[in-house]
């Protein structure tokens, strides 16, 4: 796995379906390194700290390969890396092969895979179409939240070097499917 894009979002006020809210899902690629703190990415907006950020969700990674699937479903959307609210767009990330607890050396940091990302209405607002939330649930393309065990900078091109494997734990895709069942979907 390798970082293709580092992405940061600013606080943005959005009105969607007659509801106004603040969000940081509108992320864009940035030049240079980004600093991964223990509870967040430095300079990145987290408007909903109940569901994002914190120790277990400090950094969100999404797969470069998933973009082709979504571009086919949404050909009229102007895609950029960070489109799914990810801090890191990662080539080779596959939720079916990453277990909770798997740990990686990335740039100056050490990251531990923790949980899946569950879609919400803000993803629908980002795509201007609530259908994407159900479509997102109907895949295993959820992305991976990472815990930051060692803070530091990461850059485009940094490789994920696995330093701990936890095959006894569920994969991120398994956690996502279990959450879907728990929600009765």
């Amino acid at each position: 796995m390798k970082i293709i894009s580092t992405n940061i979002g600013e606080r943005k006020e959005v009105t969607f379906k007659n509801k106004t809210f603040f969000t940081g899902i509108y992320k864009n690629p940035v030049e240079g390194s980004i600093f991964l703190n223990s509870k967040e990415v430095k300079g990145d907006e987290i408007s909903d700290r109940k569901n994002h950020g914190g120790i277990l969700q400090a950094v969100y990674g999404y797969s470069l390969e998933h973009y082709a699937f979504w571009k086919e479903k949404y050909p009229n959307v102007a895609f950029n890396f960070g489109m799914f609210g990810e801090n890191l767009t990662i080539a080779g990330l596959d939720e079916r092969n990453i277990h909770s607890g798997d740990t990686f050396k990335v740039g100056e940091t050490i990251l531990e895979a923790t949980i899946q990302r569950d879609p919400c209405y803000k993803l629908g607002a980002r795509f201007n179409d609530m259908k994407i939330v159900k479509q997102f649930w109907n895949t295993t393309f959820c992305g991976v939240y990472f815990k930051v065990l060692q803070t530091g900078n990461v850059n485009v091109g940094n490789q994920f070097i696995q330093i701990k494997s936890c095959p006894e734990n569920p994969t991120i895709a398994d956690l996502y499917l279990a959450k879907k069942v728990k929600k009765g979907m």
Side-chain angles (χ1 to χ4, degrees):
M1 297 187 308
K2 178 173 83 171
I3 298 175
I4 299 302
S5 182
T6 54
N7 313 299
I8 298 289
E10 296 180 355
R11 182 176 172 90
K12 182 172 178 151
E13 184 176 19
V14 175
T15 300
F16 181 67
K17 301 245 181 219
N18 298 319
K19 182 177 181 180
T20 300
F21 54 89
F22 290 100
T23 182
I25 197 170
Y26 290 82
K27 297 193 188 331
N28 291 294
V30 296
E31 295 292 323
S33 63
I34 60 173
F35 189 84
L36 308 185
N37 277 321
S38 61
K39 294 184 181 177
E40 63 195 6
V41 175
K42 185 177 180 183
D44 185 47
E45 170 64 19
I46 301 173
S47 297
D48 176 5
R49 291 200 179 265
K50 179 181 176 192
N51 294 300
H52 303 286
I55 299 293
L56 297 180
Q57 299 177 124
V59 179
Y60 177 47
Y62 199 70
S63 177
L64 168 69
E65 289 77 15
H66 297 342
Y67 271 79
F69 175 84
W70 296 112
K71 284 178 178 180
E72 188 174 305
K73 288 200 170 297
Y74 292 89
N76 298 323
V77 171
F79 279 83
N80 63 272
F81 293 132
M83 189 76 181
F84 295 90
E86 79 269 19
N87 303 110
L88 304 175
T89 309
I90 305 166
L93 182 144
D94 187 337
E95 298 87 342
R96 298 168 301 173
N97 297 326
I98 298 173
H99 295 84
S100 180
D102 285 356
T103 305
F104 305 87
K105 173 80 172 128
V106 186
E108 299 174 353
T109 70
I110 296 177
L111 304 179
E112 178 186 315
T114 56
I115 60 174
Q116 77 289 345
R117 184 258 185 111
D118 301 332
C120 70
Y121 69 94
K122 291 181 181 179
L123 183 63
R126 180 71 172 102
F127 277 77
N128 197 33
D129 190 338
M130 283 303 292
K131 288 189 301 188
I132 194 167
V133 175
K134 185 173 183 180
Q135 291 168 335
F136 201 89
W137 275 114
N138 287 330
T139 71
T140 55
F141 300 164
C142 56
V144 178
Y145 274 116
F146 293 96
K147 178 180 186 177
V148 179
L149 301 178
Q150 178 178 303
T151 64
N153 289 298
V154 296
N155 290 288
V156 169
N158 286 156
Q159 298 282 336
F160 278 66
I161 301 162
Q162 191 161 6
I163 58 176
K164 180 181 175 189
S165 179
C166 298
E168 69 280 5
N169 293 343
T171 67
I172 298 300
D174 291 337
L175 292 173
Y176 189 61
L177 292 171
K179 181 75 175 263
K180 181 179 172 181
V181 169
K182 184 177 178 182
K183 289 178 76 65
M185 299 178 77

